[in-house]
Amino acid sequence: MGTGDREGASLDADRNQNGTAVLDELRAAIGRYVVLPSEEALTAVTLWVAASHIQPALQHAPRLAVVGPTKGCGKSRVLDVLHETVHKPMMTVNTSPAVVFRVIGEDPPTLLVDEADTIFGPKAGDKEDLRGLLNAGHQRNRPAWRISGPEHKATAFPTFAMAALAGIGDLPDTIMDRAVVLRMQKRRPGEHIAPFRSRYSVPELNALRDRLTAWLAPLRSTAEGLVPQMPVEDRAADTWEPLVIVADLAGGHWPSRARAACLAMTRNEVVQDEQTTLKTRLLRDIRRVFEHQGAKEALRSQDLLAALVQDAEAPWAEYGTKGLNAYHLANLLRDFGISPANHRFENGRQAKAYARNQFIDAWARYCPDPTQPAPAAGEAAPARRAQSKPSALPSGTLPIGPPGGPAGPRPTR
């Protein structure tokens, strides 16, 4: 080996060692300011931040969906930390879509969107352009065409940019399917974080940002040529590939740590999707039971359970260890704002029961019957979807599915 070869190998080793060190320090710093759902989630956020510094080399711009069931789960604090560490941060809470279209170029900013549920919710009509940009910008060469300039020429505006979106409840499938998902929870008593103060937190995080830039900017051409081995396929691989590329550039323990996080978090989102599908099936089956009972005003919990379990084609007889029970039923329906209550029946006796009018809004939203008209305004108040505690991780081989975040609130410390 010639002298030049030895010097090149030594330089590569120094870069890898520097990358490992800066990722380790960034991971520790993020963990001081936020309690994330798991160690894998902390790894994913660290790599997502680093990947923002090589955006010009990437084919896909993964979203980071920071979601939680209520306020006070640390979503905005995550954005605070990201703002001081990502490449060219751009907050978009009150930003005009026209501004965002014009600032995205060959070296795009990293979009940070707080209160993202307002962009995709029922009152988001005036934000259609921004919503379209966030949907399209996951992949290169998906420009948005607009009439622009005094000559009113058709102009293609690039949309490719990494984006972190924080909001209450799940974002639309078009975003969640292209995102690394953090399912935030409120901190438990005894879980402490360092206060985020501009006078010392910002300089610390900015110093890490500058070290990331110094390490990764010279490696953009190298990153562009990397085709890493991925533990998942299809869109999940597209979303996680930038994070794995950064881990491979760093070397050390990061390549294995990145792939383990990819597997765990993708698997958890598959479980989350399966739970959502199961709940929709439950709504349909309950509607059928009410129809068979002559659309009664209410059904006793025990009668509803018996009817569900007796359906040989439904999964309820085998749900859990001994079949669907009252606890399971209440837990599955909680996300829809539906719960049992005392009800007085014709014979004068009271019993725990489910009222039919509780289901009308959920039926219309999640499993509409095409033969029935939509409910009239005010017939049932819509309930904001909350997050329930997902089931445990499945064992065995990984079903390929959308990327995402962990299901349970495991502290990072």
Side-chain angles (χ1 to χ4, degrees):
M1 180 183 291
T3 304
D5 293 336
R6 289 196 298 270
E7 291 176 350
S10 176
L11 181 60
D12 289 342
D14 290 343
R15 283 175 175 171
N16 289 349
Q17 185 176 8
N18 180 59
T20 302
V22 71
L23 288 182
D24 287 345
E25 291 180 36
L26 176 62
R27 189 178 188 275
I30 294 172
R32 282 197 296 273
Y33 291 111
V34 292
V35 174
L36 290 168
S38 68
E39 294 292 335
E40 292 84 0
L42 181 56
T43 294
V45 174
T46 302
L47 293 171
W48 191 90
V49 168
S52 73
H53 292 265
I54 56 169
Q55 286 188 76
L58 302 176
Q59 289 301 307
H60 293 88
R63 277 70 185 98
L64 185 69
V66 189
V67 298
T70 64
K71 297 178 180 179
C73 293
K75 300 181 295 295
S76 295
R77 177 56 52 84
V78 172
L79 292 189
D80 289 338
V81 174
L82 295 181
H83 188 271
E84 306 306 329
T85 51
V86 299
H87 175 67
K88 292 174 63 176
M90 181 177 181
M91 282 286 188
T92 61
V93 176
N94 295 312
T95 301
S96 162
V99 173
V100 181
F101 277 126
R102 283 166 174 78
V103 299
I104 294 178
E106 292 301 316
D107 187 17
T110 305
L111 306 178
L112 305 176
V113 185
D114 204 358
E115 300 179 7
D117 45 305
T118 64
I119 296 176
F120 300 100
K123 299 180 181 179
D126 59 340
K127 299 183 176 70
E128 187 65 36
D129 283 350
L130 184 55
R131 180 166 50 193
L133 183 152
L134 292 170
N135 280 332
H138 177 258
Q139 187 172 342
R140 282 199 182 276
N141 302 320
R142 297 293 186 273
W145 287 86
R146 295 290 185 274
I147 299 299
S148 179
E151 298 181 2
H152 302 285
K153 289 185 176 180
T155 306
F157 290 95
T159 62
F160 182 82
M162 290 177 64
L165 303 97
I168 295 175
D170 278 11
L171 301 171
D173 289 344
T174 52
I175 295 294
M176 300 293 278
D177 198 29
R178 294 167 171 81
V180 175
V181 181
L182 304 181
R183 296 192 176 275
M184 304 294 290
Q185 299 286 342
K186 283 194 172 185
R187 286 187 288 129
R188 295 170 179 164
E191 286 183 343
H192 300 293
I193 56 174
F196 189 88
R197 298 291 183 267
S198 297
R199 63 182 180 273
Y200 55 82
S201 303
V202 170
E204 173 200 8
L205 295 174
N206 286 173
L208 286 168
R209 178 200 60 200
D210 295 342
R211 289 176 60 193
L212 284 170
T213 302
W215 166 48
L216 289 169
L219 297 178
R220 286 179 179 177
S221 59
T222 302
E224 191 172 6
L226 291 180
V227 183
Q229 288 290 113
M230 298 297 298
V232 292
E233 298 176 354
D234 302 326
R235 185 164 286 163
D238 294 340
T239 297
W240 278 85
E241 184 181 74
L243 281 65
V244 173
I245 285 175
V246 169
D248 286 352
L249 289 172
H253 53 261
W254 279 98
S256 60
R257 176 178 280 180
R259 288 168 173 84
C262 174
L263 279 171
M265 297 180 71
T266 302
R267 181 181 291 123
N268 277 306
E269 281 307 295
V270 172
V271 172
Q272 190 75 20
D273 287 347
E274 289 174 349
Q275 285 291 97
T276 300
T277 302
L278 188 68
K279 292 171 186 176
T280 304
R281 168 66 187 267
L282 179 61
L283 287 174
R284 291 198 304 266
D285 288 351
I286 290 175
R287 181 173 58 194
R288 188 175 62 253
V289 173
F290 269 100
E291 290 171 352
H292 289 171
Q293 295 289 334
K296 291 182 178 180
E297 178 185 347
L299 289 175
R300 293 180 180 86
S301 299
Q302 60 186 27
D303 294 339
L304 179 57
L305 280 166
L308 291 170
V309 171
Q310 288 170 7
D311 186 349
E313 297 182 358
W316 312 119
E318 299 177 355
Y319 188 88
T321 56
K322 297 182 179 179
L324 190 72
N325 59 33
Y327 172 80
H328 296 146
L329 182 61
N331 191 48
L332 289 169
L333 294 173
R334 185 175 296 117
D335 283 358
F336 304 111
I338 299 170
S339 59
N342 290 327
H343 185 84
R344 188 177 297 278
F345 290 88
E346 294 82 357
N347 57 11
R349 294 183 178 180
Q350 285 192 11
K352 286 288 186 182
Y354 285 90
R356 184 180 184 278
N357 63 10
Q358 288 190 90
F359 293 90
I360 293 175
D361 182 71
W363 286 337
R365 291 179 183 275
Y366 298 99
C367 53
D369 186 345
T371 65
Q372 298 293 329
E379 182 174 359
R384 178 173 290 280
R385 187 177 176 188
Q387 300 294 329
S388 63
K389 184 178 179 181
S391 57
L393 292 177
S395 58
T397 58
L398 170 71
I400 301 303
R410 289 185 288 146
T412 59
R413 283 167 291 284

